Structure formats: C-alpha cells, structure tokens
Amino acid sequence: MRVPFEHLPDSARLWIFGAQRPLAAQEEKRLLDEVDRFLEGWASHGAPLRGSRDWRCGRLLLVGVDEGAAPPSGCSIDALVNALKSVEREMDVKLLDNAPVWFAAVGEVRAVSRTDFRRLAAEGRVGLDTEVFDNTLTRVGALRAGKWRVPARESWHRALVGG
C-alpha cells in the first residue's frame, strides 16, 4: 500500500537510488509511475507493505517502508530490486549502482567514481565544504535530521578529500 512519503515514521527503512543521468520529464514520469505501481502491490509473505517513494534533485529516488506496519522480507526487497532492474532495462538508465559519489556542484547534482572524486579533490574542485549526498542512510529519520545532504567534512566522503 503506497502512502505519502511524509507519512512514513522516522523509523522507516530507507533505500536511495541514483539515476546515472538526468531524466527527461517523460522519463521521470515513467519511472515514478512504475515505482508507484510496484508500491501499490508491494507485500511481504502476503502482508501489504506500507511503502512510499520520493524523487529528489531530478536524479535521486528514495524508497521507504514502515517496518512497524509490516517488515519487508528478503523476497520483498528482492522484488523491489527486480522492479528497478526492469525499469533500468526499459529506460536504459542505471539506478542500482551504489558505487558513485553523489555531490552538488554549481547548482547541479553529479555522480562520479570515487577515483574521480579524489582527483577532483586533488585539483581543488571539491573539498571538505562540498555538499555530498550520503546514500548509505538506512532510516527516514536520518534523512529528516539532515544527514543526507551534508558537507563532505560531516560524512564518510571526508576520507576521499583528504580530511
């Protein structure tokens, strides 16, 4: 059962997926329609899951589930991943790659490899004050507490810029 993202409790489980490239408006709509359709029927061992999604910065998909209502099982999490894999194939866009470093640069969201982020740091193009996205967060409450978009100095990214 899909609910508004703001109705999820702070304890809700969170997954963050990034689109490797900006999506055109019709692609965004298609992606979100597919995710909404999936969430409407998302279940764990026959129990409906109370899930939601949010789309941020034109590149980042947040999916949450209220584990207090019904916890997701391994199979239900696999179903989410498989649904996103299907969207990846149909739209020719990567969503499930956790390797890139996501950061904000000159008003745009960018994703680069860790090696490239280190190189950008060595060139002085990113640093401890660069706003980064910590897509390793696992709880909606951490997102709401402002731990997702932070200066590199306040995240694991600090090690990539020599801090």
Side-chain angles (χ1 to χ4, degrees):
M1 136 182 53
R2 188 168 69 89
V3 299
F5 197 83
E6 58 273 8
H7 290 183
L8 290 175
D10 285 348
S11 62
R13 177 91 180 266
L14 176 69
W15 293 271
I16 303 170
F17 306 98
Q20 79 184 65
R21 61 175 172 76
L23 302 181
Q26 68 271 18
E27 290 178 309
E28 278 187 19
K29 182 178 180 344
R30 184 174 171 196
L31 167 65
L32 298 177
D33 285 350
E34 287 296 321
V35 172
D36 288 347
R37 193 172 5 269
F38 173 80
L39 292 173
E40 287 294 338
W42 199 15
S44 176
H45 302 293
L49 292 175
R50 192 170 178 264
S52 189
R53 60 91 181 149
D54 201 4
W55 181 243
R56 306 251 178 122
C57 306
R59 299 276 298 270
L60 295 151
L61 174 67
L62 286 62
V63 176
V65 65
D66 180 355
E67 293 178 307
S73 63
C75 292
S76 62
I77 295 168
D78 287 347
L80 170 63
V81 170
N82 288 333
L84 292 175
K85 281 182 182 177
S86 177
V87 170
E88 281 185 326
R89 283 189 302 273
E90 292 171 16
M91 294 179 55
D92 192 29
V93 63
K94 277 202 168 294
L95 296 166
L96 296 169
D97 185 358
N98 292 323
V101 173
W102 291 84
F103 66 103
V106 194
E108 74 171 322
V109 174
R110 295 189 53 204
V112 297
S113 70
R114 289 177 188 220
T115 300
D116 286 344
F117 195 76
R118 280 189 188 101
R119 180 183 49 77
L120 291 170
E123 294 170 356
R125 295 170 55 195
V126 298
L128 293 173
D129 293 324
T130 299
E131 183 180 43
V132 295
F133 296 83
D134 185 354
N135 291 345
T136 66
L137 297 183
T138 61
R139 297 289 163 198
V140 169
L143 175 81
R144 290 181 180 143
K147 295 181 180 177
W148 181 47
R149 293 179 74 160
V150 296
R153 77 175 68 255
E154 296 176 18
S155 173
W156 62 265
H157 300 80
R158 174 181 58 252
L160 300 177
V161 296

